[in-house]
Amino acid sequence: MKLYEKLVGDIEQLVAQGVLLPGERIPSVRQTSQQHKLSITTVLRAYVKLESMGVIESRPQSGYFVRPRAGDGEAAGLCMQASQPSTVPAEVHVSRLVLSTLRSIGLHEAIPLGSPYPDPSLFPWERINQYASAVARRNRDWSVTDDLPPGNPQLIREIARRYLENGLAVDPDEIIVTVGATEAINLCLQAVARPGDTIAVESPTFYAMLLAVERLGMKVVEVSTDPYDGICIEALADIMARQAIAAVMVMPNFQNPLGFQMSDQRKRALVQLLEQHDVPAIENGVYNELYYGDAHPSSLKSFDRKGLVLHCSSFSKSLSAAQRVGWALAGRYRGKVEELKFLNTLTTSSFPQLAIAEYLQNDGYEQHLRRIRKAYAQQARIMAAAVQRFFPAGTKVSQPQGGYVLWVELPGKVDAMQLYRRALECKITVGPGRMFSVSQAYRHCIRLNYSYPWNAGVEQAIILLGKLITEFL
């Protein structure tokens, strides 16, 4: 047994025995190095392994902590239970609700706690626009044929290089550039399933997944999902044994709306289950760059050996939402996705592709990411603490490991749609839980956006929301 593996086993045992309690800070890397007479590198390797297993979690500027799990008594006001949705396939009808909710975000200068978009002030808009202008000046003889799938070679190289820097070697020929991750998800779903097919999704799930299913006339079956560990692989296996599933749609890292990060062990197990049934998975990785820990998370694609994982992502959540540049790593379905891309939108404009490619090549993308990760991690703690302070007793909140959204489970029988409408009258938006499911299971839940800087206006909005919830109770 290697030294780091022994340390992993020792800490696992301390957690299992209750010596180290959920939510408790464990000794720092330096302390553990001195106590066990191990190198810093060995301790770091052990901590990264424990984090990938879901035993501990890193918190920026705070250290490492034993990761809370559903059922842990120490966090009575924080812990949520895994969802238990119906396993009967259902039609999807969420588009009208999602559209009306998104429209309300820009009305009357409302505080955008319900927005799905990150704070644009954190993005290097001016620099990217400068690159876009320079690209336009250089390419006066532009032709539509220059934009044909799979996309601009320069950007594709930069995307492949970024994956390599984060520990995943991908074939550049597999990458297809799309108009944002939404198009990538739609194309991938269309490539692997047909109208009437049943798609397995997390519960709750990001509504963009549901919209793709609704658009293509398919059905969904919701799978029990743990707010800390992700989709229940055992429940999914049971569903797949009893009914035909055309594809699985998941967000393994910093899922919207729950914010969890699946461990490497569970990601590997999920891919193995898919391989057993020869079922493809559409992986939404748009938040992968927005992690709070010390290491970039792995993806399902990291464990895919049979080309069953169709990995979708974009720069919209990490660099620039205006350019709408995304991509798909479509595995064995690459040819079909490229064909559908051509039929769907013909091209993705070269100018935004080249502008982003030149930014990645010449500017400090990693430095930019470190800055927004730090901001989001700090604001996540502030938002969660404020909700616990100002919302009524019995409120439960998620513990996001990345991204910028907080899932809030309201006490009693509070109707989130009523709260949404009442809050909108007060110029505050929230994301009602009904958008994240085909059932009524989350009608007492809301999603809050904490990407915007914490200020007096945001704090007053949280206080007012707490008062409105109390009135409903």
Side-chain angles (χ1 to χ4, degrees):
M1 181 179 293
K2 296 178 180 178
L3 291 175
Y4 88 92
E5 291 174 334
K6 184 178 184 306
L7 181 58
V8 167
D10 291 343
I11 294 177
E12 267 194 298
Q13 187 174 7
L14 291 173
V15 172
Q17 293 173 340
V19 177
L20 294 172
L21 297 174
E24 188 172 73
R25 190 178 189 274
I26 68 173
S28 69
V29 172
R30 187 169 299 280
Q31 287 173 323
T32 302
S33 171
Q34 293 171 348
Q35 290 170 359
H36 294 262
K37 297 186 177 3
L38 298 171
S39 69
I40 295 289
T41 302
T42 299
V43 177
L44 275 173
R45 190 174 180 186
Y47 279 20
V48 169
K49 178 65 175 176
L50 286 163
E51 189 169 16
S52 72
M53 293 165 60
V55 177
I56 65 174
E57 62 185 18
S58 63
R59 299 178 187 173
Q61 300 180 331
S62 298
Y64 289 88
F65 294 76
V66 179
R67 187 176 184 182
R69 295 175 180 272
D72 290 337
E74 61 85 31
L78 300 178
C79 285
M80 298 176 174
Q81 299 298 317
S83 59
Q84 300 296 331
S86 168
T87 57
V88 178
E91 294 183 350
V92 183
H93 302 287
V94 298
S95 56
R96 288 184 181 275
L97 173 60
V98 172
L99 179 58
S100 64
T101 303
L102 293 181
R103 280 176 175 167
S104 70
I105 293 169
L107 294 178
H108 312 302
E109 300 181 346
I111 294 178
L113 299 182
S115 173
Y117 311 114
D119 175 13
S121 68
L122 292 173
F123 290 166
W125 295 98
E126 186 174 345
R127 190 65 175 148
I128 292 176
N129 286 337
Q130 288 174 353
Y131 281 124
S133 298
V135 166
R137 288 193 298 270
R138 291 199 309 266
N139 292 270
R140 298 184 182 278
D141 298 327
W142 170 86
S143 167
V144 172
T145 57
D146 296 333
D147 295 343
L148 291 175
N152 181 268
Q154 184 179 343
L155 177 64
I156 288 174
R157 283 195 301 273
E158 292 302 322
I159 292 172
R161 182 175 293 127
R162 184 66 192 169
Y163 277 104
L164 185 61
E165 290 171 355
N166 291 322
L168 176 60
V170 302
D171 183 354
D173 290 337
E174 189 183 350
I175 299 171
I176 299 170
V177 179
T178 59
V179 182
T182 299
E183 186 187 33
I185 291 167
N186 277 272
L187 295 176
C188 288
L189 182 59
Q190 192 173 352
V192 302
R194 295 175 295 179
D197 283 349
T198 299
I199 311 300
V201 300
E202 298 154 323
S203 180
T205 191
F206 184 34
Y207 54 73
M209 310 285 220
L210 297 177
L211 292 175
V213 175
E214 181 178 348
R215 172 180 173 270
L216 296 171
M218 301 171 187
K219 297 179 180 180
V220 300
V221 58
E222 296 184 325
V223 184
S224 175
T225 302
D226 187 273
Y228 306 98
D229 295 326
I231 193 169
C232 179
I233 298 169
E234 297 75 18
L236 178 60
D238 183 60
I239 290 171
M240 295 173 73
R242 291 186 287 106
Q243 57 185 287
I245 299 297
V248 179
M249 301 179 77
V250 289
M251 293 183 74
N253 296 316
F254 324 127
Q255 189 246 22
N256 187 337
L258 293 174
F260 59 75
Q261 177 184 339
M262 288 181 69
S263 67
D264 287 358
Q265 182 180 2
R266 295 185 66 79
K267 290 172 185 170
R268 185 181 291 108
L270 176 55
V271 173
Q272 289 172 349
L273 175 64
L274 298 171
E275 290 176 347
Q276 290 171 18
H277 293 267
D278 200 39
V279 171
I282 298 171
E283 176 184 29
N284 188 338
V286 294
Y287 300 103
N288 282 13
E289 294 279 20
L290 304 180
Y291 57 91
Y292 300 162
D294 296 327
H296 194 284
S298 64
S299 62
L300 292 187
K301 195 70 176 176
S302 308
F303 306 103
D304 180 26
R305 300 294 176 265
K306 296 188 176 181
L308 284 170
V309 176
L310 296 87
H311 177 88
C312 305
S313 192
S314 79
F315 293 107
S316 299
K317 305 297 187 290
S318 60
L319 183 60
S320 173
Q323 271 67 30
R324 300 289 298 151
V325 174
W327 64 90
L329 292 163
R332 66 167 72 164
Y333 304 94
R334 191 256 179 223
K336 183 64 176 177
V337 171
E338 183 179 52
E339 177 187 346
L340 289 168
K341 164 63 184 175
F342 178 71
L343 293 172
N344 188 53
T345 52
L346 187 65
T347 67
T348 301
S349 175
S350 282
F351 293 167
Q353 292 186 64
L354 284 167
I356 289 178
E358 295 200 11
Y359 178 88
L360 296 176
Q361 225 170 358
N362 303 318
D363 288 70
Y365 185 42
E366 184 59 41
Q367 183 179 359
H368 158 74
L369 287 173
R370 284 198 296 268
R371 181 170 58 88
I372 61 174
R373 287 173 196 145
K374 181 179 179 181
Y376 290 166
Q378 291 173 340
Q379 287 157 204
R381 292 194 296 271
I382 295 171
M383 178 72 80
V387 168
Q388 287 293 300
R389 178 181 176 188
F390 297 115
F391 282 27
T395 298
K396 298 178 181 179
V397 300
S398 61
Q399 297 177 359
Q401 305 300 300
Y404 51 82
V405 295
L406 187 74
W407 185 244
V408 182
E409 185 178 309
L410 303 174
K413 296 183 179 180
V414 175
D415 188 325
M417 282 305 301
Q418 291 183 12
L419 176 63
Y420 160 75
R421 287 188 283 267
R422 184 72 182 89
L424 196 55
E425 294 173 0
C426 302
K427 297 187 178 181
I428 303 169
T429 64
V430 299
R434 280 180 52 192
M435 295 194 300
F436 303 90
S437 172
V438 296
S439 72
Q440 297 292 315
Y442 307 104
R443 61 183 304 164
H444 65 304
C445 297
I446 59 174
R447 187 196 64 184
L448 300 177
N449 181 323
Y450 55 78
S451 69
Y452 293 81
W454 188 262
N455 56 38
V458 174
E459 182 171 328
Q460 287 304 310
I462 294 294
I463 293 172
L464 181 53
L465 285 176
K467 290 178 180 178
L468 293 176
I469 296 165
T470 302
E471 288 177 8
F472 285 125
L473 288 174

